[in-house]
Amino acid sequence: FERKSDGIRLLAFKRGTDVRLFSRNRLPQACPPIARTIADLHPGDLILDGELTWGGGGAMTYHVFDILWLDGRDLMPLPLDERRAALRALPLRPPLRIVTALDEERPWERACGEGWEGVIAKRKDSRYEQRRSPHWLKMKCELRQEFVVGGFTDPQGARVGLGALLVGFHEGKDFVFAGKIGTGFDTRMLRDLRARLDALEVPAPPFTAGTGLPRLRTHWVEPRIVVDIGFIEWTVHRKLRHPRLLAVRDDVPPAGRGWYP
């Protein structure tokens, strides 16, 4: 297990003193402090994989968690443990930092308790793969809260039932729009929810506050259905980031639900 940093994936390619940095989508990245430090490393040829983060004052840190190539040798077929040993042998200095393995019995609890983005679980015997792999699993920490449904959008393409739920929270006398929920459903739930929501449809939005309320292919409903939502964080505009449906809560009343913390 390793800590998941809240940054961008960064691949570093070094040939002699020439260093080139790329995002996961192969877009060139300009990070002069990172490039200069990698250029000063002793190995002539090197490929590193890691996460780039920014701290106070815009200071960069490159959290290096893997090494793919070292002085003409392809390390990708080697087990993770051997690649990590080769990485530890490099004389990395700030703003480069080696990502260390977590030795806690419950790294997930530590990650969520300390406010990390999450952890990455990796098989020690896994080789490096240039694609998503079942041997590397991202485990994000989630917040969880109840919200009230105030509308929904029409399905698109092959989707059935509905596209997304429009949910909100009560704040004083206002019903505040908090965002759209489009994941976490199966086909049966999509159909069942559409039937329930059609029976509650009203001509105008019940939301009285909040920004970004969609207007196209949208239906409004009486705010009676409570849903349990998992999400990563609140945005600065008080919207849910990466929300997903966990459950429909028929056991709780909508009054007072979905409050903003």
Side-chain angles (χ1 to χ4, degrees), residues 106-125:
R106 295 181 174 86
W108 173 257
E109 284 82 350
R110 178 185 175 187
C112 297
E114 296 188 13
W116 300 355
E117 183 178 352
V119 296
I120 305 294
K122 301 179 178 179
R123 286 187 58 94
K124 294 181 179 180
D125 60 353

Side-chain angles (χ1 to χ4, degrees), residues 81-154:
D81 272 352
E82 293 186 32
R83 299 198 308 274
R84 290 180 64 89
L87 183 59
R88 288 194 298 269
L90 294 180
L92 300 189
R93 59 180 178 85
L96 276 56
R97 178 183 300 170
I98 292 179
V99 176
T100 58
L102 302 172
D103 55 7
E104 288 89 352
E105 291 185 3
R106 295 181 174 86
W108 173 257
E109 284 82 350
R110 178 185 175 187
C112 297
E114 296 188 13
W116 300 355
E117 183 178 352
V119 296
I120 305 294
K122 301 179 178 179
R123 286 187 58 94
K124 294 181 179 180
D125 60 353
S126 61
R127 58 174 292 163
Y128 187 93
E129 298 186 49
Q130 300 182 55
R131 60 181 178 84
R132 294 190 183 275
S133 166
H135 304 305
W136 287 23
L137 300 178
K138 183 187 301 183
M139 303 165 63
K140 286 191 173 184
C141 293
E142 276 191 329
L143 300 174
R144 183 170 182 166
Q145 193 166 307
E146 293 166 354
F147 293 86
V148 184
V149 180
F152 63 94
T153 61
D154 285 328

Side-chain angles (χ1 to χ4, degrees), residues 142 178-184 229-232 240-245:
E142 276 191 329
K180 300 190 296 183
I181 316 300
T183 61
I229 302 299
F231 58 103
I232 301 302
L240 303 176
R241 183 184 177 198
H242 300 316
R244 66 186 181 96
L245 179 70

Side-chain angles (χ1 to χ4, degrees), residues 19-224:
V19 175
R20 301 187 182 187
L21 306 174
F22 295 89
S23 69
R24 182 177 59 184
N25 297 325
R26 302 182 183 180
L27 298 176
Q29 303 295 306
C31 309
I34 305 297
R36 286 195 299 267
T37 307
I38 295 175
D40 290 340
L41 292 174
H42 175 65
D45 297 334
L46 187 67
I47 303 177
L48 301 173
D49 194 356
E51 194 93 358
L52 179 66
T53 64
W54 290 263
M60 297 178 179
T61 300
Y62 185 30
H63 305 268
V64 185
F65 53 69
D66 216 327
I67 180 169
L68 287 63
W69 186 272
L70 180 63
D71 278 339
R73 186 184 178 201
D74 182 4
L75 304 186
M76 290 190 293
L78 298 181
L80 175 62
D81 272 352
E82 293 186 32
R83 299 198 308 274
R84 290 180 64 89
L87 183 59
R88 288 194 298 269
L90 294 180
L92 300 189
R93 59 180 178 85
L96 276 56
R97 178 183 300 170
I98 292 179
V99 176
T100 58
L102 302 172
D103 55 7
E104 288 89 352
E105 291 185 3
R106 295 181 174 86
W108 173 257
E109 284 82 350
R110 178 185 175 187
C112 297
E114 296 188 13
W116 300 355
E117 183 178 352
V119 296
I120 305 294
K122 301 179 178 179
R123 286 187 58 94
K124 294 181 179 180
D125 60 353
S126 61
R127 58 174 292 163
Y128 187 93
E129 298 186 49
Q130 300 182 55
R131 60 181 178 84
R132 294 190 183 275
S133 166
H135 304 305
W136 287 23
L137 300 178
K138 183 187 301 183
M139 303 165 63
K140 286 191 173 184
C141 293
E142 276 191 329
L143 300 174
R144 183 170 182 166
Q145 193 166 307
E146 293 166 354
F147 293 86
V148 184
V149 180
F152 63 94
T153 61
D154 285 328
Q156 300 293 305
R159 181 93 163 199
V160 299
L162 57 89
L165 295 176
L166 309 178
V167 301
F169 55 86
H170 294 292
E171 186 175 63
K173 295 182 179 180
D174 281 325
F175 182 38
V176 185
F177 177 59
K180 300 190 296 183
I181 316 300
T183 61
F185 307 87
D186 58 26
T187 300
R188 180 178 179 181
M189 182 178 290
L190 287 168
R191 295 184 187 279
D192 289 348
L193 274 173
R194 179 60 188 260
R196 293 179 61 181
L197 292 168
D198 280 345
L200 298 174
E201 190 162 355
V202 293
F207 301 102
T208 58
T211 60
L213 194 63
R215 298 291 178 178
L216 297 177
R217 297 184 295 274
T218 302
H219 303 262
W220 312 113
V221 299
E222 296 178 27
R224 295 188 184 180

